[in-house]
Amino acid sequence: MTISEIDLLRQQLHGCLNLNVGVANLKEIKPVIYIEVNPDRTVKSSKVVNKEKLNDPSFRTAAEAAMRAVNNPDCSPLLLPADKYEQWKEINFTFDFSWMFD
Amino acid sequence: MIKKILIILFFSFNANAALEVTIAQGKVEPTPIAITQIFGADSDTARYGNTLRQIISNNLTNSGLFYTVNEDLYIQSDNLVEKVPRFEDWKLIKAQFLLSADVSKIDKGIRLRMRLYDVFNAKEIEKLQLTIPDENLIRRVGHTVSDIVYERITGETGYFDTRIVYVSEIGPLDQRVKRLAIMDQDGHIDSHQFLTDGKNMVLTPRFAPNKQLITYMEYKNNLPRVYIYNLKTGEREIVGDFPGMTFAPRFSPDSQSVVMSFSDPNNAANSEIYLMDLNTRSRSRLTNDSGIDTSPSFSPDGEKIVFNSDRGGSPQLFIMDKNGDNIKRISKGRGVYGNPVWSPRGDLIAFTKLTQGNFHIGVMDLNGNNERVIVRDFALESPAWSPNGRYLIFHRQKRSNLDGTGGEVTIHFIDITGYNERIIPTPRDGSDPAWSPLL
Amino acid sequence: MLMVAGFFLASCAATKTDQGGDVDAASASASSSSGGEITAGTQEDLIVNVGDRVFFEFDSSELTVDAQATLDAQAAWLMQYPDTNITVEGHADERGTREYNLALGDKRAFSVYSYLAQAGIDTNRMEYVSWGKERPEVIGSDETAYSQNRRGVTLVSN
């Protein structure tokens, strides 16, 4: 996939990630969400990869926000190039919240 | 609003591995939540339900972190306490969360059941059942449910089941009548109550961490002294009964002491900071300097005190140990600083600063670094923290004119990010707000 | 409290004769005195014939040369009427925090009090109190008002 194709997907997700600011320790929290994608570019399944941290309420809050972003109806179907299904049938999204402290 | 930052992007062309994408931006805007009717079988419980729904919806909206999706858009109208919601219906109207509840009469009072759902992830994330012994507690229950929802979704402590004590003001600006008053954090008129009759001027009330006491300054017989008001008994008691003015009181975190200023006539009426042990009534002097020392505020661990002093010339902010040792100046910027207040999280100092003709309310780190202005206007004063350290309340006064007009003073709420400022309504003018701990 | 307000208005008329806003105050002052005759040893006497107040620079409690001259005259007047007791009020303008201004007002009041004491007035005849920025003499958010509000006022209390 080209950089501009990845950019398009990223931009789409930015509009679907809605996080309530101020969650403690967000700088260190980086939930990773694994998704399987259908050929029609809808999300087939989604799960938190680093789920060992879900006992931490701050991490859980951030991970749930990330899960809502990938399952947000505004982000369905995902903006992906139809001819490159093999490259995007599985995606790991790493959510980095350090931007909220700029 | 989408915050712009430099994007670091990792991805892989390996056909067998998952595509790696880093998402490092998002929207900082209110999250849509749907709140169904809160169901009641008879007219009483239906009325309780309406009140509760209104309180919860207002609280969540006022936090700036949520907005309530318009009821007219709801497709499913069922009670969703026992029934699983049709998540697709709620997804369609873009509600990210869904709250449903019902109220019924039981032997011991009123029963409330609540369910909170994460719509996009199609799952229940919180449930609650509680018995309300008395209908007078409905407002508190509304605040408590709001706190539970807020905490579950944001991961931080709530602040809705709290009260604000403040000074109610009325009358000409040169003869203001000032009364202590108390209300729920939302300023709802049903919760509003005057504590003093206005005969004596009162200033600067502050809650004790134990929630039962308020310390403040009162001009009784024209002698300005520090008092304590007991919320349970309504009794007023002098604690700063010194041979001179006592003022600027605040409780220690254990509620056992009050730190305040005392202007000793034997010390040229120069204000120094004293600590008064409420049990033994012994007082100890913490500062000793020819400048004014006032506005002390304890750190939440009780180890340090931030205060205001003009010992270096102009009023600045200083931190000292609880016994008065190791005084260090922390304010670094230009201007006249005042009103320092230690945050309940312990990590920030809120303050006022007068510079270039305007007051600013801001926050700074404990060493004075990273000073950040939150709000600026002609006259701002009395910042006070929400118990979760996320919001500030303060008062704002308009300019006054020679003909006696203007000078209106109102209480405001703001997120420490500087967003979502709003007025907290009061029946008359209001100043010197202070927030209770979570009740 | 009404008495105090009356004194404020009266003193207002005495000290700000050049300002348009004084018409009401002047009439209030006239109506509060009986028949235009000034009784010796009263607040009115102090205001009209001596000057009941001194003014301070911004954020200062030091007595200016003018202030000292006024207080010398007040001390002489107090000597003349030895049965008179007074309360000295210290005030601040609105451009400071409430608590800092309470402290500043107390220092101002004490400056006046101790000057009079040094001039020979028995401290048993005197009290002092700070009102911070809570009781402005002149309403208004400008330097004209502020300079009138940064003051120490001597009130006859008996």
Side-chain angles (χ1 to χ4, degrees):
Chain A
M1 282 175 64
T2 66
I3 285 185
S4 58
E5 284 165 345
I6 300 271
D7 256 356
L8 192 64
L9 174 65
R10 231 184 42 232
Q11 298 276 350
Q12 185 187 23
L13 263 295
H14 295 164
C16 290
L17 175 63
N18 191 320
L19 192 93
N20 296 303
V21 285
V23 175
N25 313 317
L26 269 185
K27 255 179 189 166
E28 291 84 43
I29 291 169
K30 288 181 183 167
V32 179
I33 309 295
Y34 168 83
I35 64 168
E36 290 181 291
V37 189
N38 294 314
D40 70 358
R41 298 178 296 166
T42 58
V43 175
K44 184 171 154 192
S45 72
S46 57
K47 65 174 186 191
V48 180
V49 176
N50 39 357
K51 58 163 73 102
E52 70 282 359
K53 296 180 185 163
L54 281 171
N55 287 332
D56 170 2
S58 296
F59 182 86
R60 184 179 68 172
T61 301
E64 286 174 349
M67 284 286 280
R68 284 195 298 280
V70 301
N71 289 297
N72 191 321
D74 285 347
C75 279
S76 187
L78 293 165
L79 298 177
L80 291 161
D83 55 335
K84 296 179 180 170
Y85 179 62
E86 285 305 311
Q87 290 180 35
W88 50 253
K89 63 183 181 186
E90 295 166 78
I91 307 177
N92 276 322
F93 286 108
T94 300
F95 286 81
D96 177 353
F97 293 104
S98 54
W99 54 275
M100 292 180 60
F101 296 89
D102 295 342
Chain B
M1 162 201 48
I2 292 189
K3 284 190 129 185
K4 303 278 179 225
I5 64 139
L6 184 69
I7 307 302
I8 304 156
L9 180 65
F10 302 99
F11 55 92
S12 166
F13 290 105
N14 184 335
N16 296 321
L19 179 65
E20 298 285 339
V21 179
T22 295
I23 303 299
Q25 280 185 46
K27 292 189 295 183
V28 183
E29 54 184 48
T31 305
I33 182 169
I35 305 176
T36 69
Q37 186 190 328
I38 296 185
F39 297 85
D42 60 26
S43 65
D44 281 345
T45 49
R47 182 162 48 84
Y48 301 149
N50 281 339
T51 306
L52 285 167
R53 184 178 189 276
Q54 205 162 34
I55 292 168
I56 296 164
S57 177
N58 283 346
N59 278 341
L60 294 176
T61 304
N62 285 343
S63 76
L65 303 186
F66 300 92
Y67 80 87
T68 310
V69 180
N70 185 346
E71 231 177 322
D72 299 342
L73 299 174
Y74 300 177
I75 301 160
Q76 191 174 19
S77 58
D78 304 312
N79 180 346
L80 301 173
V81 171
E82 284 179 328
K83 189 173 178 180
V84 178
R86 289 195 306 268
F87 287 111
E88 289 309 310
D89 285 1
W90 299 97
K91 221 169 164 176
L92 208 61
I93 62 169
K94 297 185 178 164
Q96 297 204 12
F97 296 96
L98 168 63
L99 188 154
S100 193
D102 61 20
V103 188
S104 51
K105 280 181 180 158
I106 56 169
D107 287 348
K108 292 171 203 152
I110 306 152
R111 185 189 65 179
L112 172 80
R113 300 185 301 171
M114 183 275 276
R115 297 286 182 276
L116 179 65
Y117 302 97
D118 179 332
V119 173
F120 292 180
N121 293 324
K123 62 174 185 184
E124 180 187 295
I125 55 172
E126 191 69 68
K127 67 173 174 183
L128 173 76
Q129 176 169 323
L130 53 86
T131 304
I132 309 164
D134 179 346
E135 72 169 291
N136 292 324
L137 292 168
I138 289 282
R139 286 191 56 76
R140 293 241 0 228
V141 169
H143 293 319
T144 302
V145 172
S146 307
D147 281 325
I148 289 165
V149 172
Y150 179 95
E151 287 176 12
R152 179 59 186 84
I153 295 176
T154 68
E156 58 187 10
T157 313
Y159 66 94
F160 300 114
D161 189 22
T162 57
R163 313 204 81 195
I164 291 171
V165 63
Y166 75 101
V167 173
S168 173
E169 300 193 11
I170 198 163
L173 291 169
D174 54 357
Q175 298 168 52
R176 284 241 131 176
V177 174
K178 296 195 172 193
R179 304 170 71 178
L180 287 186
I182 193 167
M183 61 192 179
D184 287 0
Q185 51 72 31
D186 59 3
H188 197 282
I189 191 68
D190 290 352
S191 69
H192 192 278
Q193 198 189 340
F194 289 108
L195 301 179
T196 64
D197 61 9
K199 197 171 118 254
N200 299 335
M201 177 178 286
V202 292
L203 301 170
T204 63
R206 278 89 192 234
F207 263 100
N210 71 9
K211 310 162 198 174
Q212 296 303 325
L213 306 173
I214 289 163
T215 185
Y216 67 104
M217 192 245 231
E218 175 170 341
Y219 282 79
K220 191 174 178 186
N221 303 321
N222 281 350
L223 296 176
R225 298 292 185 271
V226 169
Y227 286 79
I228 284 180
Y229 185 102
N230 187 318
L231 282 169
K232 241 183 197 161
T233 63
E235 282 166 9
R236 289 188 247 177
E237 183 193 0
I238 189 164
V239 292
D241 194 6
F242 301 178
M245 178 171 68
T246 51
F247 62 110
R250 277 184 200 276
F251 283 96
S252 60
D254 62 5
S255 302
Q256 301 303 305
S257 310
V258 169
V259 63
M260 65 181 120
S261 277
F262 167 43
S263 299
D264 190 343
N266 295 317
N267 184 31
N270 183 51
S271 300
E272 303 288 353
I273 294 171
Y274 282 71
L275 189 66
M276 160 73 94
D277 183 312
L278 295 175
N279 300 312
T280 65
R281 297 285 157 157
S282 65
R283 66 181 194 231
S284 51
R285 178 173 171 170
L286 304 184
T287 59
N288 189 348
D289 186 90
S290 62
I292 289 171
D293 293 319
T294 190
S295 301
S297 168
F298 265 102
S299 61
D301 65 4
E303 291 299 314
K304 292 190 181 293
I305 294 168
V306 64
F307 66 102
N308 191 202
S309 176
D310 67 354
R311 57 185 60 211
S314 78
Q316 298 289 333
L317 307 184
F318 295 79
I319 285 181
M320 62 182 169
D321 295 348
K322 64 180 173 188
N323 63 3
D325 289 346
N326 292 318
I327 295 179
K328 285 193 189 83
R329 176 172 160 178
I330 61 162
S331 54
K332 297 181 165 122
R334 284 164 167 247
V336 171
Y337 289 81
N339 275 163
V341 199
W342 213 302
S343 83
R345 287 176 181 173
D347 56 344
L348 294 171
I349 305 292
F351 59 88
T352 62
K353 178 171 76 166
L354 174 60
T355 179
Q356 295 176 325
N358 277 315
F359 273 91
H360 303 67
I361 285 177
V363 292
M364 62 173 68
D365 294 350
L366 305 185
N367 57 12
N369 289 342
N370 297 315
E371 182 178 314
R372 193 154 55 80
V373 170
I374 293 168
V375 55
R376 172 177 49 206
D377 201 352
F378 175 69
L380 305 169
E381 206 175 330
S382 280
W385 291 94
S386 65
N388 68 1
R390 159 142 206 162
Y391 304 96
L392 290 171
I393 47 176
F394 59 93
H395 76 243
R396 181 192 288 264
Q397 186 154 25
K398 290 191 179 148
R399 285 170 185 273
S400 59
N401 309 303
L402 194 57
D403 64 4
T405 60
E408 296 88 354
V409 56
T410 43
I411 296 175
H412 295 247
F413 165 102
I414 196 165
D415 193 302
I416 60 164
T417 57
Y419 292 102
N420 189 34
E421 185 186 335
R422 64 185 174 81
I423 284 190
I424 297 180
T426 49
R428 300 169 175 180
D429 276 10
S431 62
D432 291 2
W435 218 316
S436 79
L438 202 54
L439 298 176
Chain C
M1 208 61 223
L2 271 175
M3 284 292 284
V4 174
F7 286 142
F8 276 13
L9 293 167
S11 55
C12 186
T15 55
K16 299 181 300 156
T17 48
D18 57 336
Q19 283 175 28
D22 285 350
V23 179
D24 288 348
S27 58
S29 146
S31 65
S32 71
S33 64
S34 48
E37 288 294 314
I38 293 171
T39 312
T42 61
Q43 182 73 28
E44 201 178 5
D45 181 24
L46 179 68
I47 292 166
V48 174
N49 296 315
V50 180
D52 69 333
R53 67 193 52 208
V54 298
F55 298 103
F56 294 89
E57 298 297 311
F58 177 73
D59 196 20
S60 169
S61 55
E62 279 175 30
L63 297 169
T64 63
V65 174
D66 281 358
Q68 293 180 23
T70 303
L71 295 180
D72 287 338
Q74 285 188 9
W77 186 84
L78 287 164
M79 294 287 192
Q80 199 182 337
Y81 302 103
D83 294 337
T84 309
N85 294 335
I86 58 164
T87 299
V88 176
E89 292 186 345
H91 298 268
D93 68 35
E94 69 180 20
R95 301 312 276 167
T97 67
R98 199 181 302 299
E99 292 175 344
Y100 184 83
N101 279 346
L102 284 168
L104 183 58
D106 222 44
K107 280 183 111 166
R108 285 175 174 165
F110 190 81
S111 290
V112 171
Y113 170 91
S114 57
Y115 189 94
L116 292 173
Q118 278 171 24
I121 308 303
D122 188 342
T123 51
N124 289 327
R125 296 174 61 192
M126 300 191 287
E127 288 180 350
Y128 69 91
V129 63
S130 172
W131 285 95
K133 60 176 176 179
E134 311 306 320
R135 288 285 183 254
E137 174 70 52
V138 178
I139 297 171
S141 296
D142 55 39
E143 185 49 36
T144 314
Y146 301 158
S147 62
Q148 300 283 319
N149 291 336
R150 295 190 289 264
R151 68 199 193 280
V153 181
T154 301
L155 288 173
V156 175
S157 52
N158 65 329

